[in-house]
Amino acid sequence: MFIDTHAHLTDRQFSDDVDIVIENAFQSGIRKIITSGYDLKSSQDAILLAQQYEGLFVSVGVYPENIYEYNEEVENEIIKLAQNSKVVAIGEIGLQYTANMPSKEKQKEVFLKQLKLAYELKKPVVIHCRDAYMDMLNLLKDNKNLISNGGTFHCFSGSIEIAKEILELGFHVSVGGVSTFKNAVSVKEMVKFLPIDRIVLETDCPYLTPTPFRGKRNEPKYILSIAENLAQIKNINIEDVGKKTSENARRLFNL
Ligand code: NI
């Protein structure tokens, strides 16, 4: 069995056939899926969807691109949503230092607020981090008291050095489609380094479709390609990949 710890099933790319996509995933051996919010609306939508499927869970939060909407009212709504039994994490939240994003200071401020929220709600966090690892690691190290519920670095494709620090802080690393790309040599090496008891799997669908389905819309069922690739990298069989990564996900997200 497999668990997709990070999907975006409320994305408009799924609006015509989300039920089929979910059924196909369950039939392919994906037992549980965590569909992730990235602003208030998508978090609300994710809960509505999850209420229809036993194996579907949710993370709620506001991610860097959308933090302009973050205020006390939105925060209170997130707190309310998090009381729902389907909500297993706060996320995706984080830092992204690319063009046309909110200022670094604003991003750090809102990330920290949501980190506190997760701590108070006793939930793990799902972290999105792009081009911002130094600030992210420093922020987490300065706030170790807030990260005792752990979490994942979603779609992690950084270096082994950064991975070491992430692991030392108690986080899990989420391995997704990028690790299957032929030219992603350094990502494969980093994944090889990761201890299997700290890896969870994710698709981040509809984005980052794994090989050999690149060019198509990504779906939770393609977790099998990610798992197969991980089995090759780790030189273990795919059943063990499924078993170990599912154990990790169940433990972390209390599934
Ligand atoms: Ni995502």
Side-chain angles (χ1 to χ4, degrees):
M1 70 164 278
F2 299 91
I3 297 178
D4 183 355
T5 63
H6 190 91
H8 296 287
L9 294 174
T10 60
D11 189 281
R12 71 162 67 98
Q13 289 190 50
F14 293 119
S15 53
D16 289 337
D17 63 347
V18 69
D19 297 314
I20 298 168
V21 167
I22 293 169
E23 280 309 326
N24 284 343
F26 290 149
Q27 271 168 26
S28 306
I30 288 84
R31 292 285 167 76
K32 291 178 173 145
I33 305 168
I34 301 174
T35 190
S36 179
Y38 42 85
D39 59 10
L40 182 57
K41 173 79 167 63
S42 59
S43 298
Q44 290 164 331
D45 290 349
I47 292 176
L48 290 178
L49 185 64
Q51 277 164 339
Q52 300 173 45
Y53 293 94
E54 205 191 318
L56 195 55
F57 299 87
V58 179
S59 70
V60 295
V62 180
Y63 105 129
E65 201 176 342
N66 301 320
I67 57 169
Y68 289 120
E69 75 166 29
Y70 201 91
N71 56 29
E72 221 180 291
E73 208 178 305
V74 170
E75 186 168 279
N76 287 333
E77 280 306 311
I78 302 254
I79 294 170
K80 254 190 246 166
L81 293 181
Q83 312 301 322
N84 189 294
S85 63
K86 284 288 185 168
V87 175
V88 297
I90 299 299
E92 55 187 287
I93 59 174
L95 302 176
Q96 178 169 336
Y97 293 170
T98 55
N100 303 318
M101 295 294 283
S103 74
K104 293 180 180 180
E105 288 317 307
K106 182 75 188 163
Q107 288 196 42
K108 283 192 263 189
E109 179 197 317
V110 175
F111 175 67
L112 189 58
K113 279 186 180 163
Q114 294 186 91
L115 205 60
K116 272 189 192 137
L117 215 68
Y119 174 72
E120 283 158 10
L121 294 162
K122 300 189 170 62
K123 304 262 188 231
V125 284
V126 176
I127 292 181
H128 168 102
C129 186
R130 217 159 114 194
D131 295 346
Y133 284 115
M134 281 310 117
D135 276 9
M136 175 58 75
L137 291 172
N138 286 334
L139 207 148
L140 294 172
K141 282 177 203 163
D142 290 345
N143 292 280
K144 272 194 182 152
N145 56 320
L146 298 179
I147 57 174
S148 50
N149 301 309
T152 58
F153 268 69
H154 118 76
C155 193
F156 181 69
S157 52
S159 66
I160 290 178
E161 283 63 40
I162 296 168
K164 276 182 189 163
E165 299 212 47
I166 288 172
L167 294 170
E168 210 171 294
L169 286 164
F171 284 91
H172 286 64
V173 177
S174 186
V175 171
V178 176
S179 65
T180 69
F181 298 172
K182 269 202 185 73
N183 56 359
V185 179
S186 61
V187 175
K188 286 187 209 291
E189 260 167 40
M190 180 275 295
V191 169
K192 190 168 186 174
F193 157 81
L194 295 173
I196 190 79
D197 64 346
R198 299 290 285 283
I199 297 176
V200 294
L201 302 179
E202 72 164 70
T203 56
D204 203 18
C205 65
Y207 314 105
L208 299 175
T209 311
T211 305
F213 301 104
R214 287 183 83 174
K216 292 177 76 172
R217 179 186 67 176
N218 198 4
E219 296 183 23
K221 70 178 178 190
Y222 294 150
I223 218 83
L224 293 171
S225 299
I226 295 166
E228 222 168 84
N229 177 67
L230 182 58
Q232 265 175 28
I233 291 176
K234 291 286 188 199
N235 201 17
I236 55 178
N237 63 48
I238 188 165
E239 288 76 22
D240 282 341
V241 166
K243 190 166 166 274
K244 300 269 191 202
T245 56
S246 297
E247 272 170 20
N248 300 340
R250 275 203 298 263
R251 193 175 61 234
L252 177 62
F253 295 110
N254 209 3
L255 294 173

